[in-house]
Amino acid sequence: MALHGKRKRISHILTNSQIPNSQSTLPCTPQNGTFSQEDGRSGRFVEGSILRITMQNFLTYDHSEVFPGPHLNMIVGANGTGKSSIVCAICLGLAGKTAILGRGDKVSLYVKRGCSKGSVEIELYRAGGNLVINREIHVENNQSIWMMNGKHSSQKAVEEAVRELQIQVGNLCQFLPQEKVGEFAKMSKIELLEATEKSVGPPEMYNFHCELKSYRTKERDLENLCKEKANFLEKAKQRNERNKVDVERYHMKRRHLDRIQMLDKKKPWVEYETARKELEEVKKQREEMKKTAKSLKEAQAPLLRKIQSIDNKLQPIENQMKEKTIKIREASQKCKQKQDHLDRKYKEQALSLKQTEEADRQKRIGNTKRLIQDLQRDLDNMGSQEDVTPKIEAVNTELRRIQEEKARLDGERQDLRRDKDEANGELRRLQSRQRNLEDMMNRKEEKLRSRFPDTHSAVLWLRNHRDLFEGNVYEPMMLVINVRDSLHAKYIESHIPVNDLRAFVFQKQQDMEKFMTEVRDKQRLRVNSVIAPAESCANRPPSRPIDSLKRFGFFSYLRELFDAPEEVMSYLCHQYKINDVPVGTEKTKSMIETVIKESQLRMIYTADEKYTVKKSAYSNKTISSNSALRPSQFLTIAIDAEERQHLEEQLGAAQQQVQKIDARMKAAEEQQVKLERRDNELRTEKKHLSELKGKKRQLEQRISTKQDSLRQMEQGGINLQEAEEEAKTKISHVNDQKVAIVEEILNSMKVCVKPHLFLPFTISHKLCYSFIYVFIQAFTELDQRKTSLLGTCKNLMRRASDICNMNPGETVVPEILRTVRTTCTLLFSFELPDTLDEIDAMLSEERARAECFTGLSETVVEEYNKREKEIKNMEKELEEKTNALNTYRQNISEAKERWLNPLKSLVEQINEKFSNFFRSMHCAGEVDLHSENEEEYDKYGIRIRVKFRSSTQLHELTPHHQSGGERSVSTMLYLMSLQELNRCPFRVVDEINQGMDPVNERRVFDIVVKTACSGNTSQYFFITPKLLQNLTYADEMTVLCVHNGPYMLPPNKWNDKAFIRRVKRRTDQ
């Protein structure tokens, strides 16, 4: 090695198969450096196995070629010769990351020092033709040039080709470099399961697992979303349920207002209908008069024709008529006067009509009186009651006050509910924070249980029997000590021995004796206990203030780095002087000699080291020793005591706030119930008063109306006796006059028209004309009355049209008013009356009822309807999300069945082989599929439990519980359990036998040889710097000896045959 700087180091790899007696080695290097498909040895390689590794200017090698065998390849060589360089070449040559190797983060660091580039070429066996991958690494730009089968390629294409051959250099179950051997035991159960799935499981197993985890994540999100939507939906329903009463009351008020509106519209139509009926009656009478006049004209027609005939005959005697004209005119005039007089007298003969009219009037008067008596009797039966209007007003005032109070209470309750939601949210946040702190405490307790199970059992016993002790009793210090900064935990653990960290602290001696008698003597538990000093030392001041030491880089004493109960702190200050041990930084370490010389401190902590200073009793010299600080194991979990106390105070305050809000809400609800009860009572009372008032008012109104009608009928009475006497006198007188007139007319006619027969026709003609004239006058009166009524009807129609918002020119009664009886009966359970009196009474009643509904807002109804729509939309969304959730659960069930059953079968096979391996070593081990919750697929993991001594139980493989050799044995046997199941083409394990005791190493080696050399396994690389003597080897093994040094021959000068002859010659001697 003296010529290391002057001569290049040249390495050579001998690929041989060692026979059991190790007498000779046989070369098996191909002449051309590559294997052909016809090579006999290639037939034993599995798809993806390594046939050749060529390194050029790579790490320790200038140039070297390695030809591994198809089964177990044991690479042996002294430390530093380049064994692990072959592992690095395999990793980097197959597109692995530098992080896998744990050496350098840049690929250029793997080029031999002094060279500008290096290369790795790996030939992989492939049935369709071997795959040769070449990677040329350039130092200058840290870049690589890739080639596959002599053609330029990309790293992505190489990775894809390697993946197709099931090679996973990033999987510790397949590729375990030297720097990562310790990482295997540190793998979590979850990581180990994923690595195993990728390594030996079917290709779809890991995909199914990832699919399950994705489904479970989405299912959890959907569950939370469905839960949130269901909660929000329930709150919306509750909110609508609370507003439902107000909405119903609002609709009830609207119904009353609609009734009022309908009645207001119906009233003018009723008035119009009354006028219309009267008009129809007048029209009917007019038509009858018109028919009578027409009949009279028809009856007069023959007379007119005869008169016309006589007129024709009058012409010859015209002259004779002239003489008599004056007399006839005088007679006619006199006759006409007498006739008019007779007509007036004839009218007086209407006595009979007046008698009939008087009889009808008397009958109506009698009916009206009887009706008034009945109504008066009903009114009297109601009793003499005082006016209820003031009471109704008082009830209305009280109802308005109650509505305002209810509105105020609703607002207050909403505010309280908001406050409660906020308080509950704050309470949940604090409880979550408390659970986090408890989880941290549970993790500390779990560490205690895994490391010191007896101490943990004693803790559980103490918690259940704390009342047996008089003074304070504290759980092990590692549970009650709370380091303020987890970075400082290493100082505390380095200063306080583990035996004291797991010790119970007692305030009184008798309590400690009672405790130890129970747990140590009776329960046979190995525990430690200490007693705190009688006089507290917790607040003992340091020998010098920390400010005086800051110039040396010290920032605190140990006591200020953590919190603990007073008795515990007192014990530590008394026993370990934590109040006088300073903690420094890198600055302290850089000037440590000055610190030791000037500070006169007995114990010092720097950033990463502990210094102990002593003074020799003989030479009086200062002697110092230092040791590296171990990483903290128990006190890394830091819980702020002040924060915890503040959190407990906040939790208490939050709980009290919630209780206060609950009490206020309960009081508000009770008050709301009282108001509702009072509201119902007042409404019942108001309804009763309104009914009394309405009934009494209706009776009084009807009595008043009937009395007015009675007075009118009584005032329009006729004295029939007087009318009868007068009529008799007049009729007698009229009859006498009629007789005289008739006689006079007859005489005149005899004198004037005796020779002419046509004169009677003339008189009859005039009499008919007089009767027609009477009828025409009556007809005219009726026509005028019809015109007046028609104008009234038009005015009423116009008013009704305006009220009903009808278009101009519409005269048809609105359909709603024609069908209002049916519609109102169906919708509102009431009928519109048909008389004006009943309409007025119902209007008064409906207005009184509508006034009872106060304090109502249309906004509440709008919000209610809007929330109803939101509820329907949310119900639809919730149904969709629930269906999606069920779909995900169905997919999970199907994927779980595809994944879990093959996985259980796979783990059972691994467990069987793993257990057999351990059983052959007279130890115990098992592998199982572990999961705390079967539905949490991201929490599934493989748990390895081992036992190396018969007196102990199975313990889980962890970085802390087992020794380094035990971890190496467990790791190696687990990897060998995967060997026969492995679907990967090769496995690499680098120097895993370091730290094993000889017995275990021999046993493990035998298992490796037996398993890796069986006919159905893949290629295996076992790298080791040493081997025990008299190991058992197999013919299928390939031993690769790595030599390196300044006097190594170049590969082209190495003579295999000469080397074998020398070995045999030395053996024979």
Side-chain angles (χ1 to χ4, degrees), residues 118 192 576 655 991:
L192 183 58
Y576 298 108
Q655 290 171 349
E991 295 192 17

Side-chain angles (χ1 to χ4, degrees), residues 476-514:
M477 295 185 195
M478 66 173 62
L479 295 181
V480 298
I481 287 178
N482 181 46
V483 181
R484 298 175 183 176
D485 189 342
S486 59
L487 297 177
H488 299 155
K490 58 185 178 181
Y491 302 125
I492 313 301
E493 290 192 23
S494 296
H495 194 73
I496 304 173
V498 176
N499 286 336
D500 272 0
L501 283 176
R502 65 187 184 95
F504 294 82
V505 181
F506 292 84
Q507 186 182 22
K508 295 186 177 182
Q509 181 71 30
Q510 59 270 28
D511 287 342
M512 184 176 72
E513 293 173 356
K514 185 186 299 183

Side-chain angles (χ1 to χ4, degrees), residues 751-766:
V751 174
C752 298
V753 202
K754 186 176 182 180
H756 306 286
L757 296 177
F758 62 87
L759 189 57
F761 293 103
T762 305
I763 296 170
S764 298
H765 172 67
K766 292 183 178 180

Side-chain angles (χ1 to χ4, degrees), residues 920-931:
S920 67
M921 296 176 58
H922 306 292
C923 300
E926 67 177 28
V927 176
D928 61 357
L929 187 63
H930 180 265
S931 176

Side-chain angles (χ1 to χ4, degrees), residues 38-159:
E38 291 78 12
D39 193 327
R41 294 177 72 245
S42 65
R44 295 178 292 171
F45 286 90
V46 299
E47 190 87 0
S49 296
I50 298 176
L51 299 177
R52 175 176 58 87
I53 306 170
T54 302
M55 294 167 285
Q56 186 78 29
N57 295 330
F58 186 81
L59 290 176
T60 60
Y61 297 105
D62 292 331
H63 173 79
S64 182
E65 283 187 323
V66 181
F67 298 91
H71 298 295
L72 176 60
N73 292 275
M74 190 162 57
I75 302 176
V76 185
N79 288 329
T81 55
K83 302 183 303 300
S84 296
S85 298
I86 299 175
V87 176
C88 296
I90 295 173
C91 176
L92 298 180
L94 296 177
K97 307 297 182 184
T98 56
I100 298 171
L101 300 172
R103 289 193 171 189
D105 57 345
K106 294 181 180 180
V107 70
S108 59
L109 298 176
Y110 293 85
V111 177
K112 187 172 184 179
R113 185 174 300 174
C115 299
S116 61
K117 64 179 180 178
S119 67
V120 175
E121 185 173 278
I122 298 177
E123 183 176 357
L124 302 175
Y125 174 73
R126 195 166 59 177
N130 294 346
L131 176 65
V132 179
I133 300 174
N134 183 281
R135 181 175 189 174
E136 187 176 280
I137 305 170
H138 292 263
V139 177
E140 183 178 359
N141 54 7
N142 194 39
Q143 297 293 322
S144 299
I145 298 176
W146 294 89
M147 297 183 72
M148 283 199 303
N149 291 333
K151 298 179 180 180
H152 285 281
S153 183
S154 63
Q155 182 173 346
K156 186 175 181 181
V158 173
E159 290 175 351

Side-chain angles (χ1 to χ4, degrees), residues 3 64 73 118 152 200 327 384 423 452 483 747 785 825 957 1004 1050:
L3 301 177
S64 182
N73 292 275
H152 285 281
V200 299
K327 293 181 179 181
S384 57
F452 308 109
V483 181
N747 293 330
R785 189 177 175 192
T825 302
L957 181 65
V1004 169

Side-chain angles (χ1 to χ4, degrees), residues 491-737:
Y491 302 125
I492 313 301
E493 290 192 23
S494 296
H495 194 73
I496 304 173
V498 176
N499 286 336
D500 272 0
L501 283 176
R502 65 187 184 95
F504 294 82
V505 181
F506 292 84
Q507 186 182 22
K508 295 186 177 182
Q509 181 71 30
Q510 59 270 28
D511 287 342
M512 184 176 72
E513 293 173 356
K514 185 186 299 183
F515 175 80
M516 296 303 289
T517 301
E518 174 64 32
V519 299
R520 187 173 60 185
D521 299 340
K522 294 182 180 180
Q523 300 184 24
R524 302 293 181 182
L525 299 177
R526 292 178 295 177
V527 298
N528 293 341
S529 61
V530 297
I531 187 168
E535 183 179 353
S536 177
C537 303
N539 298 319
R540 179 183 295 174
S543 59
R544 69 190 79 179
I546 191 65
D547 292 339
S548 63
L549 300 176
K550 287 186 176 179
R551 60 191 179 94
F552 299 119
F554 294 107
F555 62 89
S556 175
Y557 286 106
L558 279 177
R559 182 176 58 184
E560 278 67 41
L561 299 182
F562 65 95
D563 299 309
E566 184 176 355
E567 284 80 0
V568 177
M569 189 69 77
S570 176
Y571 172 80
L572 294 176
C573 289
H574 178 267
Q575 186 70 21
Y576 298 108
K577 305 296 186 292
I578 59 173
N579 61 308
D580 215 22
V581 177
V583 181
T585 59
E586 290 291 344
K587 178 181 178 181
T588 310
K589 182 179 180 180
S590 64
M591 53 187 304
I592 189 65
E593 294 182 0
T594 304
V595 173
I596 294 173
K597 182 177 179 180
E598 296 183 6
S599 65
Q600 302 296 318
L601 294 169
R602 298 180 59 186
M603 189 171 293
I604 298 170
Y605 284 95
T606 63
D608 298 308
E609 292 180 337
K610 172 183 178 181
Y611 288 85
T612 304
V613 182
K614 296 181 180 179
K615 186 170 288 189
S616 174
Y618 301 99
S619 62
N620 203 25
K621 291 184 178 179
T622 299
I623 303 172
S624 65
S625 62
N626 67 308
S627 60
L629 297 178
R630 300 185 306 273
S632 175
Q633 298 182 20
F634 307 109
L635 303 179
T636 53
I637 300 174
I639 301 174
D640 192 340
E642 294 182 359
E643 181 185 358
R644 186 176 182 180
Q645 182 179 0
H646 183 59
L647 180 62
E648 290 175 354
E649 294 174 355
Q650 287 181 320
L651 267 173
Q655 290 171 349
Q656 290 180 1
Q657 180 68 14
V658 172
Q659 291 173 358
K660 288 180 181 178
I661 293 174
D662 287 338
R664 291 177 61 189
M665 289 184 69
K666 184 177 180 181
E669 289 175 358
E670 291 175 355
Q671 190 174 359
Q672 182 80 9
V673 171
K674 291 180 181 178
L675 289 175
E676 289 289 346
R677 192 181 302 115
R678 179 60 179 162
D679 185 88
N680 293 333
E681 292 174 356
L682 288 173
R683 292 185 187 282
T684 303
E685 181 182 356
K686 181 177 179 179
K687 182 178 180 182
H688 177 66
L689 293 174
S690 298
E691 289 175 353
L692 289 177
K693 181 181 178 181
K695 187 173 182 181
K696 185 175 181 181
R697 185 170 61 249
Q698 289 178 6
L699 288 174
E700 291 175 348
Q701 187 176 2
R702 294 185 65 184
I703 289 172
S704 176
T705 303
K706 296 302 179 183
Q707 286 176 347
D708 292 341
S709 300
L710 180 62
R711 281 193 298 270
Q712 291 177 1
M713 287 187 289
E714 288 176 347
Q715 291 174 1
I718 300 173
N719 192 339
L720 291 178
Q721 198 170 15
E722 293 178 358
E724 185 177 0
E725 293 296 331
E726 183 180 356
K728 285 180 180 180
T729 305
K730 289 182 178 180
I731 289 171
S732 177
H733 183 64
V734 167
N735 289 336
D736 293 340
Q737 289 180 349

Side-chain angles (χ1 to χ4, degrees), residues 213-229 881 885 888:
K213 290 189 285 187
S214 175
Y215 281 152
R216 177 54 184 158
T217 301
K218 294 178 180 177
E219 180 193 22
R220 194 182 299 112
D221 294 340
L222 278 175
E223 285 177 349
N224 296 333
L225 183 60
C226 288
K227 191 178 296 183
E228 291 176 2
K229 286 190 176 294
K881 297 299 180 184
L885 178 60
Y888 271 110

